[in-house]
Amino acid sequence: MRKRYGRKVDANQKEIAKALRKTGRNVFEIEEPFDLLIDNFGEWLVMEVKNPNTHARQKGGGLMTDKQLAILEVLHSKVLVAETIEQALELVIKRY
């Protein structure tokens, strides 16, 4: 049996989750299929965090994985994508 290593978490994910928590939201860091599950005062939001500074991003990475794209095809809700704390706060707080 092959040993499975933990997936790499984007460096900015913890900072984004912390910033969202400071606004009173409950934030759960989940492994799959996306990065964050956010309780926006009764409205559940899903967020994918991308790091704009990674080597993979510079080589065309930073996009959704095949598994994520397959889920998006059948999902009846949107997945928010943020690279910075500012983007994440704007997507979550300024929804209305």
Side-chain angles (χ1 to χ4, degrees):
M1 182 179 231
R2 296 174 76 184
K3 185 174 182 180
R4 183 174 173 195
Y5 295 94
R7 74 176 182 94
K8 184 177 178 187
V9 175
D10 289 305
N12 52 342
Q13 178 177 318
K14 295 237 181 256
E15 292 152 359
I16 287 173
K18 183 178 179 182
L20 289 167
R21 286 184 185 110
K22 284 183 178 180
T23 68
R25 274 88 180 158
N26 292 308
V27 180
F28 302 91
E29 296 180 62
I30 55 178
E31 287 190 20
E32 286 190 6
F34 301 100
D35 294 323
L36 302 177
L37 182 61
I38 304 160
D39 177 5
N40 190 34
F41 303 110
E43 173 192 30
W44 286 101
L45 305 173
V46 178
M47 182 175 285
E48 176 66 15
V49 176
K50 296 296 181 188
N51 188 338
N53 300 317
T54 63
H55 181 67
R57 177 83 171 171
Q58 295 163 0
K59 295 229 178 223
L63 306 173
M64 297 286 179
T65 65
D66 289 339
K67 184 175 185 176
Q68 290 171 331
L69 291 173
I71 291 168
L72 287 173
E73 287 182 16
V74 297
L75 201 61
H76 296 289
S77 60
K78 294 181 181 179
V79 174
L80 307 174
V81 179
E83 294 181 342
T84 65
I85 291 171
E86 294 78 19
Q87 284 178 344
L89 291 175
E90 179 146 338
L91 287 167
V92 173
I93 294 171
K94 297 184 179 181
R95 292 190 47 80
Y96 303 101

